[in-house]
Amino acid sequence: DPVPTGSEHDRLLEENRLLAQRYLELENASRRQIERLQAANSLLTEGEADMRLLLENAAVGFALLDLSMRVVSANQTLCTLLGCSREQLQGENFHNLVYVGKLPSLTRLTGQAADNSPRQDAIDLLNRDGPLVPCRIAASDWIADDGSIRGLFLLILDLNDEIRAIARLEEMEGVVAETGKARDLFLETVSRE
């Protein structure tokens, strides 16, 4: 290789200096971009942890089902409602957890909605250790980042407390009606005397 002359050498040194400067600028920009990505990833991780904590401690049951209706994930509330452990619930076909008389309701509930709106219905679930559990289940499609449907997201509310409250209300209404009849009879008797 021929040795560059003075002006050529100066030009090469200047090009090298400019390239080194541009390299440092790109390296700094890359470092800033990596820091931003790490911060965003940290926020996503925190958000994911917060979401898991929220779902785990919710007063309602939740389950993620894959496209074949198998339980991918569930919270402890649902496990308690069904009288089983997470290990027993994991991979279970959700159809096996529903009272057979309510399977048509489950089929309507879990069908894909044209607008991906949540669907809900009253469905009796099977508790492994006890009676049927009347529930209100809301289902939404579980959508992947690419827009494809991965399965279903279910929120499950135990209706036993509401059913007991309604029964107590009906009982109280009966007592009030009987009291009203007794009062009317008393007033009728007093007015006659």
Side-chain angles (χ1 to χ4, degrees), residues 36-164:
R36 280 194 292 265
L37 287 171
Q38 287 172 335
N41 188 40
S42 177
L43 284 174
L44 283 173
T45 302
E46 287 173 17
E48 186 177 304
D50 289 345
M51 182 60 71
R52 286 179 196 267
L53 186 63
L54 173 70
L55 290 173
E56 184 56 39
N57 294 305
V60 297
F62 95 89
L64 282 175
L65 308 180
D66 64 17
L67 290 172
S68 60
M69 297 293 291
R70 297 204 177 279
V71 176
V72 173
S73 180
N75 69 351
Q76 186 57 48
T77 303
L78 180 59
C79 293
T80 301
L81 197 66
L82 298 174
C84 63
S85 68
R86 284 181 209 257
E87 291 76 26
Q88 292 170 320
L89 198 53
Q90 187 83 20
E92 181 73 39
N93 190 304
F94 199 78
H95 288 97
N96 298 336
L97 306 171
V98 174
Y99 171 64
V100 70
K102 291 294 185 166
L103 285 174
S105 295
L106 180 66
T107 300
R108 282 190 305 276
L109 178 71
T110 58
Q112 183 181 354
D115 60 356
N116 190 32
S117 62
R119 290 91 58 198
Q120 58 178 309
D121 204 346
I123 293 180
D124 295 331
L125 296 180
L126 303 171
N127 180 300
R128 294 181 190 227
D129 300 325
L132 294 177
V133 182
C135 296
R136 171 138 322 266
I137 299 180
S140 295
D141 293 329
W142 176 17
I143 308 292
D145 291 339
D146 64 3
S148 64
I149 296 175
R150 292 186 66 186
L152 287 170
F153 179 80
L154 302 181
L155 288 175
I156 301 146
L157 177 65
D158 180 359
L159 295 178
N160 275 315
D161 290 339
E162 284 82 3
I163 290 170
R164 283 190 288 276

